Amino acid sequence: MQAAPVHATAIPSFTDALRAVESLLLSGGQRTARRNAWTSVLEDRRRAKDRFEAQRVLEETGRPALLS
């Protein structure tokens, strides 16, 4: 007699679980708007980090900082 094959079921990650809840609670347009807003926040943070780094380099080289 042959044993029945065992199928492993992947446990969803926390992110997957959040996305599933999000899809139940929000319409497609709201999801897109929220993701776009979060992408903008991340981009703003990246630009702020770049500005800070540029200002630090200018100050270290003795050049006047043009950024305020």
Side-chain angles (χ1 to χ4, degrees):
M1 181 171 195
Q2 211 173 13
V6 176
H7 296 285
T9 303
I11 298 172
S13 70
F14 185 71
T15 302
D16 292 338
L18 284 178
R19 286 204 175 136
V21 170
E22 174 190 63
S23 68
L24 291 173
L25 297 176
L26 300 176
S27 70
Q30 288 173 321
R31 271 196 314 274
T32 301
R34 186 193 59 79
R35 287 189 183 141
N36 288 345
W38 183 244
T39 300
S40 294
V41 167
L42 295 177
E43 184 64 20
D44 288 346
R45 288 178 181 175
R46 186 195 60 77
R47 281 195 300 268
K49 180 181 173 187
D50 290 348
R51 280 193 307 272
F52 179 81
E53 181 64 18
Q55 184 172 352
R56 186 186 64 78
V57 169
L58 286 173
E59 289 171 355
E60 284 181 358
T61 60
R63 296 183 178 174
L66 300 175
L67 307 171
S68 43

